C-alpha cells in the first residue's frame, strides 16, 4: 500500500515552487483545489476502504463524513440488498418542528469530547475618583459570528469598587452576550456560555490611582464532535400519508438470493419485490432501512482518508499532480487579471494534465500481489475464485 502525505506538505511544495511568502489567507482555497484535483484524477488510490458501524435512528443513519460510495451493508451474517424504489424514506415526522437526532458510531479516528469554555478574571485595584472612565470591550467569536460589545462606566462621587463591579456584572449579563459574569475576589470572573464561544477582553481607564487588568484562567478547549453525528438528514414531512413510502417495501428481486421463506417468498407487490426482504437505499446523505430501527448495522465503503485536523490525506503517487494543480489554479488568478502571460498559464495547465494522466496510469498498474494472482490464473486451466471471497 502506498504512503499517504499531508495536505500541508503539498501546500509547502507549492509555496517553495512559486516562492510565496504569505499564504495564510488562501489555505482554504488550497484545500478546496486539492479536493478538486483528487476528484479529477479519480483513480483507485484517491480513495480508501473503510468499515464502520452505524447507529440507526428513525430507520436511517447519516453516512460518515469521508464517504464516497458504498461497497456493502451487513447485519449479522446477512448482506442487505439495495432497492431501486423512488419512495424509500420510510420514516416520516408526524408534526411540524419534530426534531430527530441521528447518531452513528464513527471510525476509530473520530472523537467526541465536550470541550472547555474560556475563563478570564477582570481585576479592579486602587482607588477610582469621580468622573474617571472605565471601559471593558469584548470581541466575541461564536461559531464564526464575530461581534464587539463595549461597556463604559463613569465613576460617581462616593462609588466603591464593589459599586463599579456590580454595574459591569449587570450590564454584561443583561442581556447575555455569550459569556457569564460573576463576582470574584476583587473583580469579575468571565466564562463562555459554551466552548464554542471564544472572546478577548480589552480594558481601559483614565484613572490616576486605579487600575483595570485581565488574567487568563482557562484557555478555550474546542468541542471535538463526531463529524458523522448530525440532525435529521431530511426536511421532516408534516403529516403521515399513505401516498408516501410504506415500511413494507422491499428490494427489486434479482433472482439470485431471495430473503423470504416459505410462502412469503412468493408474496410480491406491484413491483415484483418480495415483501419480507430487508433492504436499504442511500439518499440525502443518509442510508435508509425498511425494517431496522434503534439498532446497529455495519457498512463497508470507499472514502477519503483524513488526518487529525480533518484535511484529506493524499497518496504519494498523486503528490506531484496535486501540487501542479494547486500551482495552476493559484496562478490562474493572475492570468484572469491580465498579470500573467498566456504561455506561462498554458505551461502550468499542460504540466497538470500530464501529471494527472501519469498518476492515473501508475494507479492502474497491478501491484506485486495482483501480478502473482494474474500469473497463477494464466498458468492453470481453471479460473481462480473471486478475490472478494478470499
Amino acid at each position: 500500500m502506498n504512503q499517504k502525505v499531508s495536505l500541508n506538505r503539498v501546500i509547502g511544495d507549492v509555496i517553495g515552487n512559486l516562492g510565496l511568502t504569505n499564504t495564510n489567507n488562501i489555505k482554504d482555497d488550497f484545500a478546496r483545489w486539492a479536493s478538486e484535483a483528487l476528484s479529477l484524477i479519480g483513480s483507485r488510490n484517491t480513495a480508501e476502504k473503510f468499515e464502520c458501524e452505524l447507529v440507526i435512528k428513525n430507520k436511517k443513519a447519516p453516512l460518515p463524513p469521508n464517504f464516497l460510495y458504498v461497497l456493502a451493508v451487513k447485519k449479522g451474517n446477512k448482506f442487505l440488498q439495495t432497492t431501486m424504489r423512488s419512495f424509500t424514506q420510510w420514516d416520516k415526522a408526524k408534526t411540524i418542528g419534530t426534531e430527530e437526532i441521528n447518531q452513528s458510531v464513527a471510525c476509530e479516528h473520530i472523537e467526541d469530547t465536550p470541550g472547555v469554555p474560556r475563563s478570564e478574571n477582570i481585576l479592579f485595584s486602587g482607588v477610582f475618583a469621580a468622573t474617571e472612565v472605565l471601559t471593558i470591550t469584548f470581541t466575541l467569536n461564536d461559531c464564526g459570528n464575530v461581534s464587539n460589545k463595549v461597556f463604559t462606566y463613569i465613576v460617581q462621587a462616593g462609588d466603591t469598587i464593589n459599586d463599579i463591579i456590580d454595574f459591569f456584572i449587570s450590564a454584561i449579563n443583561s442581556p447575555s452576550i455569550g459569556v457569564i459574569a460573576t463576582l470574584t475576589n476583587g473583580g469579575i470572573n468571565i466564562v463562555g456560555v459554551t466552548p464554542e464561544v471564544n472572546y478577548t477582553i480589552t480594558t481601559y481607564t483614565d484613572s490616576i490611582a486605579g487600575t483595570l487588568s485581565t488574567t487568563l484562567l482557562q484557555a478555550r478547549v474546542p468541542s471535538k464532535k463526531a463529524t458523522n453525528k448530525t440532525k435529521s438528514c431530511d426536511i421532516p414531512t408534516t403529516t403521515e400519508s399513505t401516498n408516501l413510502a410504506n415500511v413494507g417495501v422491499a428490494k427489486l428481486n434479482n433472482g439470485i438470493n431471495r430473503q423470504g421463506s416459505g410462502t412469503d417468498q412468493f408474496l410480491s407487490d406491484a413491483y415484483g419485490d418480495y415483501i419480507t426482504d430487508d433492504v436499504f437505499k442511500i439518499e440525502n446523505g443518509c442510508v435508509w432501512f425498511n425494517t431496522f430501527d434503534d439498532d446497529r448495522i455495519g457498512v463497508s465503503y470507499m472514502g477519503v482518508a483524513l488526518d487529525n485536523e480533518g484535511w484529506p490525506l493524499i497518496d504519494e503517487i498523486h503528490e506531484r499532480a496535486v501540487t501542479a494543480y494547486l500551482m495552476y489554479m493559484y496562478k490562474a488568478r493572475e492570468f484572469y487579471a491580465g498579470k500573467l502571460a498566456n504561455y506561462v498559464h498554458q505551461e502550468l495547465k499542460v504540466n497538470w494534465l500530464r501529471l494527472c494522466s501519469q498518476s492515473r496510469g501508475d494507479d492502474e498498474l497491478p501491484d506485486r500481489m495482483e501480478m502473482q494472482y494474474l500469473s497463477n490464473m494464466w498458468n492453470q486451466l481453471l479460473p481462480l475464485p473471486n478475490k472478494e471471497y478470499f
Side-chain angles (χ1 to χ4, degrees), residues 222-293:
S223 302
K224 189 173 289 186
K225 300 291 185 181
T227 50
N228 60 343
K229 182 180 291 184
T230 178
K231 294 185 178 180
S232 176
C233 296
D234 64 322
I235 300 173
T237 308
T238 57
T239 60
E240 289 186 309
S241 171
T242 57
N243 298 323
L244 300 177
N246 187 312
V247 294
V249 300
K251 75 177 180 68
L252 182 64
N253 179 36
N254 57 17
I256 297 175
N257 48 2
R258 284 194 297 245
Q259 296 174 11
S261 61
T263 57
D264 289 342
Q265 59 185 295
F266 303 108
L267 299 176
S268 62
D269 57 17
Y271 293 87
D273 294 347
Y274 290 100
I275 61 176
T276 57
D277 286 346
D278 305 321
V279 296
F280 74 93
K281 187 166 186 180
I282 294 175
E283 287 184 349
N284 300 334
C286 283
V287 53
W288 297 78
F289 303 90
N290 67 327
T291 56
F292 298 115
D293 200 3

Side-chain angles (χ1 to χ4, degrees), residues 10 38 112 205 268 308:
V10 176
L38 293 176
D112 187 1
T205 180
S268 62
N308 293 332

Side-chain angles (χ1 to χ4, degrees), residues 27 38 67 84 119 199 343 388:
K27 185 173 181 180
L38 293 176
F67 176 87
M84 303 305 293
S119 176
Y199 62 86
Y343 76 91
E388 289 292 330

Side-chain angles (χ1 to χ4, degrees), residues 148-163:
N148 289 317
K149 302 294 181 181
V150 181
F151 302 96
T152 300
Y153 182 72
I154 300 175
V155 180
Q156 306 297 313
D159 278 350
T160 65
I161 287 182
N162 285 338
D163 294 329

